[in-house]
Amino acid sequence: MLRAMSRPGPRNSITDVPGITVGNAEDHGMVTGTTVVLVEGQVTAAVDVRGGAPGVREAAALAPAATMQQAHAISLSGGSAFGLDAAGGVMDWLRRRGTGIEIGPARVPIVPGAIIFDLLTGPGPEWETPPWWDLGVRAVEAAGQDFELGNAGAGMGATAGPIKGGLGTASATQDALIVGALAISNPVGGVTMPGSRHFWAWALEQNGEFGGLGAPETVGDVTEMPLSPSLANTTLVVVATNARLSWNGAMRLAIMAHDGFAQAIRPVHSPLDGDTVFVLATGEVELPDPIHSLAKLGFMAADCSARAITRGVYEAESLAGIAAWRDL
């Protein structure tokens, strides 16, 4: 079976893909934060939005008829629509370092972004100056191969159904191919089975990465829907791969990665979520077979997405009166 043949990379992280680094920044008073996925060199990028309440920036730049279809970084942030400002901070940081599309004497970095709703996790939308531009700058400055999970970056104020959400990551390798996913787990739906600490995605777990509970002995009423109290949420995923993909291939990978949401969350892609997947393909490895290899890659991306979503909840800690999985 394909799943038995693939295994996590050395970090079990999106940064197992060469050229990908991640940075986090938090505002503990506001209980919010920003996560930046930074890329080295030119990559093919795509985005697929499935939730009914998305908050995205520069998604049109990754559309099929767009000119660029590439990105220099991806910004994920709390703050609801206010948090889209984080991408501006990332853009300015990149511009100052000579990164971006050259248009005459100007350089314009392409930084697509998306946000989660976390305004009710902390004290609410009361501030003198919105913090997210500065959080974007701080996050991209902190980018590296190793980064904190759980209540870090955009996972700071995240909730997953009725419990604490967070930032997670996972990777898979097979032959020369590498796939990594980073998730901000903030769904309206739940990631655990009703009346149980077992995760919906338990069967995909690698090396005890989210507790090693194994199969549940019993399953509660699966028609129960323990939802987030705010009923305003979003799960965000960035998938990176070292494969060489066209835009169509990157888009197919994003579509297949959304299957991982359904493996980890119930209900998912609701009218109250803004579920979004970004794909970054660095192009280092040619696919042996343009169709079958892409199918294999999509399989890996879906599993990595489900594992990253679940791991974000597993790694989170109780905060702001919201109980974490580990404290249930």
Side-chain angles (χ1 to χ4, degrees):
M1 292 179 63
L2 181 57
R3 184 175 294 120
M5 294 166 61
S6 65
R7 62 189 185 279
R11 296 182 182 84
N12 193 22
S13 169
I14 192 173
T15 59
D16 286 326
V17 178
I20 301 293
T21 54
V22 174
N24 291 320
E26 301 84 29
D27 184 316
H28 292 268
M30 288 283 298
V31 194
T32 191
T34 295
T35 297
V36 174
V37 180
L38 186 63
V39 303
E40 180 182 321
Q42 184 169 322
V43 301
T44 301
V47 62
D48 187 35
V49 180
R50 294 295 175 94
V56 294
R57 168 173 167 154
E58 290 277 42
L62 307 183
T67 301
M68 298 303 174
Q69 297 175 348
Q70 62 177 283
H72 300 100
I74 303 292
S75 169
L76 309 177
S77 187
S80 189
F82 299 102
L84 294 173
D85 283 350
V90 178
M91 283 185 67
D92 196 50
W93 188 90
L94 291 169
R95 178 192 64 82
R96 292 173 183 274
R97 284 152 184 80
T99 298
I101 304 298
E102 292 187 43
I103 306 173
R107 282 187 179 268
V108 182
I110 306 300
V111 183
I115 48 83
I116 67 167
F117 184 89
D118 61 359
L119 294 179
L120 301 184
T121 306
E126 299 293 335
W127 52 71
E128 292 294 327
T129 302
W132 290 282
W133 180 288
D134 180 61
L135 287 171
V137 173
R138 287 169 48 201
V140 71
E141 286 178 340
Q145 291 184 321
D146 299 311
F147 54 96
E148 296 294 324
L149 303 179
N151 295 2
M156 179 74 178
T159 56
I163 63 176
K164 185 69 181 67
L167 186 159
T169 190
S171 68
T173 65
Q174 184 173 346
D175 300 325
L177 292 174
I178 308 170
V179 177
L182 179 143
I184 307 300
S185 303
N186 186 66
V188 164
V191 297
T192 56
M193 297 179 177
S196 170
R197 298 180 76 235
H198 289 267
F199 293 107
W200 286 112
W202 67 267
L204 303 178
E205 185 174 16
Q206 298 283 334
N207 303 330
E209 62 194 345
F210 34 87
L213 296 183
E217 294 183 3
T218 60
V219 178
D221 183 359
V222 295
T223 64
E224 290 184 18
M225 291 192 294
L227 305 178
S228 166
S230 71
L231 294 180
N233 292 67
T234 287
T235 297
L236 307 175
V237 166
V238 179
V239 171
T241 179
N242 65 342
R244 182 173 301 164
L245 298 177
S246 66
W247 181 89
N248 286 334
M251 187 64 183
R252 178 53 54 187
L253 198 64
I255 291 168
M256 293 185 71
H258 268 290
D259 292 344
F261 286 54
Q263 293 173 290
I265 304 165
R266 182 182 175 95
V268 71
H269 297 153
S270 79
L272 306 165
D273 290 286
D275 299 334
T276 300
V277 173
F278 294 97
V279 165
L280 303 170
T282 65
E284 292 183 346
V285 177
E286 192 77 44
L287 291 182
D289 182 296
I291 297 177
H292 292 92
S293 297
L294 180 59
K296 176 173 68 176
L297 208 65
F299 187 104
M300 295 164 67
D303 278 9
C304 283
S305 296
R307 290 166 50 213
I309 290 166
T310 305
R311 195 175 176 201
V313 177
Y314 171 73
E315 296 284 354
E317 299 179 358
S318 297
L319 183 68
I322 304 168
W325 175 89
R326 62 184 61 206
D327 296 326
L328 294 179

